[in-house]
């Protein structure tokens, strides 16, 4: 997953958890974020039909809320008490909106659930019945997609709506809400955090089979590293209530550090994993989320030695 696509996926998941799933262009802080939004628009995961905002943070200082005007036949402008008259770009007043139903359909496709049967809303705009996922002849489970489960009233509405639809210990819940924030009582086995087990690729979602299978196991059967942070053969980690997913090569890096123990020099580390890179950080720098996980899990002395925190 490229850095822009990874950022696009993170923005999409953040939008899914927002109260009105919208984002104003003025809140985009970098060219990468604007490129990420363009990517989401291209694949139809969001739309820009949510209108335009009439007030934004000053695009120059970012400190004051200013009203956007179009004087005469000129371009967009705003008057900031600190910066004076400032020019406003058209994208800054555009408001984009996530399309949760798009996500629901892509989950069905990633799980190879018959796409002729569109996901059925269970709670309008918040919860969908994706369909039946078959792993074996006698192992058929209903798949549910839900969002904003960190809000108690929504979690209660979803719970009541799901009671006649699916037995929780026999169903799979895919959600944009991290496990640590959910207000919905749901067994650990079958609770799947969307960005943990699914990746954004091309114009849809793809399933990470290893991490998805891990989510379906009872807690006592889940493989973890000896530190307690890692699981799934070091392909995933829980840090500070958040989940991070890593590639095979990144997993090799963490496994070597934990197995070797203590401080290890970068030359020893990189010589023992399958990579041509010379610096550990290079393994993570292309994906902002994975780089954040690296920074939370690993410490160094600036002289080439690395160790797990």
């Amino acid at each position: 997953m490229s850095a822009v696509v990874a950022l696009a996926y993170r923005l999409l998941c953040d939008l899914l958890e927002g109260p009105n799933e919208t984002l104003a262009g003025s809140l985009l802080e970098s060219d990468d974020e604007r490129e990420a939004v363009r990517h989401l628009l291209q694949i139809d995961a969001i739309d820009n039909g949510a209108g335009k905002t009439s007030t934004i943070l000053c695009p120059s200082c970012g400190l004051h809320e200013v009203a956007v005007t179009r004087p005469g036949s000129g371009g967009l402008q705003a008057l900031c008490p600190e910066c004076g008259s400032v020019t406003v770009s058209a994208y800054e007043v555009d408001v984009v909106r996530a399309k949760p139903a798009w996500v629901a359909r892509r989950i069905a496709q990633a799980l190879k659930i018959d796409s002729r049967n569109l996901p059925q809303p269970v709670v309008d705009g918040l919860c969908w019945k994706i369909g039946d996922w078959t792993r074996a002849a006698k192992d058929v489970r209903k798949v549910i997609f839900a969002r904003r489960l960190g809000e108690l009233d929504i979690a209660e509405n979803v719970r009541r709506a799901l009671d006649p639809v699916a037995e929780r210990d026999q169903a799979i819940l895919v959600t944009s809400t991290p496990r640590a924030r959910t207000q919905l009582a749901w067994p650990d086995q079958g609770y799947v955090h969307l960005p943990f087990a699914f990746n954004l690729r091309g114009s849809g979602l793809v399933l990470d089979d290893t991490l998805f299978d891990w989510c379906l196991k009872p807690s006592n059967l889940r493989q973890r590293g000896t530190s307690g942070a890692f699981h799934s053969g070091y392909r995933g980690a829980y840090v500070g209530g958040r989940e991070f997913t890593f590639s095979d090569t990144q997993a090799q890096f963490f496994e070597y550090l934990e197995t070797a123990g203590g401080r290890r020099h970068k030359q020893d580390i990189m010589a023992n994993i399958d990579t041509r890179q010379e610096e550990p950080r290079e393994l993570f720098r292309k994906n902002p989320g994975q780089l954040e996980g690296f920074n939370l899990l690993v410490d160094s002395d600036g002289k080439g030695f690395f160790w797990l925190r």
Side-chain angles (χ1 to χ4, degrees):
M1 195 187 306
S2 72
V4 168
V5 174
L7 181 56
Y9 194 26
R10 189 175 71 186
L11 286 174
L12 176 61
C13 291
D14 288 347
L15 285 172
L16 290 171
E17 284 298 286
N20 54 11
E21 69 265 358
T22 61
L23 173 68
S26 61
L27 299 179
L28 300 175
E29 298 179 349
S30 67
D31 289 340
D32 283 346
E33 287 190 346
R34 287 186 278 275
E35 182 63 29
V37 166
R38 281 194 288 270
H39 178 74
L40 292 174
L41 286 168
Q42 288 171 357
I43 64 174
D44 204 32
I46 63 175
D47 66 52
N48 55 6
K52 297 182 182 294
T53 181
S54 60
T55 59
I56 64 171
L57 287 178
C58 172
S60 181
C61 67
L63 298 175
H64 303 284
E65 190 172 84
V66 295
V68 179
T69 62
R70 188 188 294 274
S73 59
L76 299 174
Q77 292 185 345
L79 185 63
C80 174
E82 186 162 334
C83 307
S85 180
V86 294
T87 299
V88 177
S89 300
Y91 78 83
E92 291 178 298
V93 298
D94 285 337
V95 179
V96 296
R97 178 190 291 119
K99 300 171 71 173
W102 180 94
V103 177
R105 290 194 299 272
R106 295 312 185 275
I107 291 171
Q109 291 171 359
L111 291 171
K112 297 180 172 58
I113 294 173
D114 192 344
S115 60
R116 291 174 298 179
N117 300 319
L118 293 178
Q120 301 297 312
V122 177
V123 178
D124 191 37
L126 295 169
C127 182
W128 292 259
K129 183 171 66 173
I130 301 295
D132 292 337
W133 178 73
T134 304
R135 178 161 55 179
K138 295 184 178 181
D139 188 2
V140 180
R141 306 193 192 187
K142 294 189 181 302
V143 179
I144 306 297
F145 169 55
R147 65 188 192 94
R148 295 176 58 189
L149 296 178
E151 301 171 49
L152 184 58
D153 56 338
I154 290 176
E156 282 298 304
N157 286 340
V158 169
R159 179 191 63 77
R160 287 192 294 267
L162 286 180
D163 279 344
V165 173
E167 297 180 21
R168 293 181 210 179
D169 59 349
Q170 297 296 321
I172 298 170
L173 175 66
V174 181
T175 175
S176 50
T177 307
R179 181 61 163 163
R181 287 185 18 218
T182 187
Q183 297 289 330
L184 179 67
W186 195 276
D188 279 343
Q189 60 188 88
Y191 191 101
V192 182
H193 188 208
L194 175 67
F196 180 70
F198 294 81
N199 294 312
L200 183 64
R201 186 180 301 166
S203 59
L205 298 175
V206 294
L207 182 69
D208 187 313
D209 293 299
T210 300
L211 297 178
F212 188 72
D213 286 345
W214 184 86
C215 292
L216 304 187
K217 292 180 180 179
S219 298
N220 63 319
L221 297 180
R222 294 177 174 179
Q223 176 189 359
R224 295 181 180 269
T226 57
S227 70
F230 298 102
H231 59 76
S232 304
Y234 298 86
R235 289 288 312 283
Y238 286 104
V239 188
R242 296 184 56 195
E243 296 169 298
F244 295 91
T245 306
F246 302 108
S247 69
D248 289 336
T249 303
Q250 292 165 347
Q252 291 176 33
F253 166 80
F254 289 122
E255 183 174 14
Y256 177 80
L257 271 189
E258 187 162 71
T259 303
R263 296 154 55 98
R264 310 299 298 183
H265 193 269
K266 64 182 180 182
Q267 290 181 343
D268 294 332
I269 298 170
M270 306 310 275
N272 281 276
I273 63 179
D274 184 19
T275 181
R276 294 182 180 179
Q277 301 289 352
E278 297 180 356
E279 295 282 345
R281 187 175 295 273
E282 289 296 304
L283 298 174
F284 300 84
R285 68 177 179 83
K286 292 185 177 180
N287 185 307
Q290 292 173 339
L291 180 59
E292 183 181 359
F294 169 84
N295 290 331
L296 290 170
L297 288 161
V298 178
D299 208 346
S300 68
D301 61 358
K303 300 178 181 178
F305 283 91
F306 294 80
W307 61 92
L308 292 176
R309 293 183 187 273

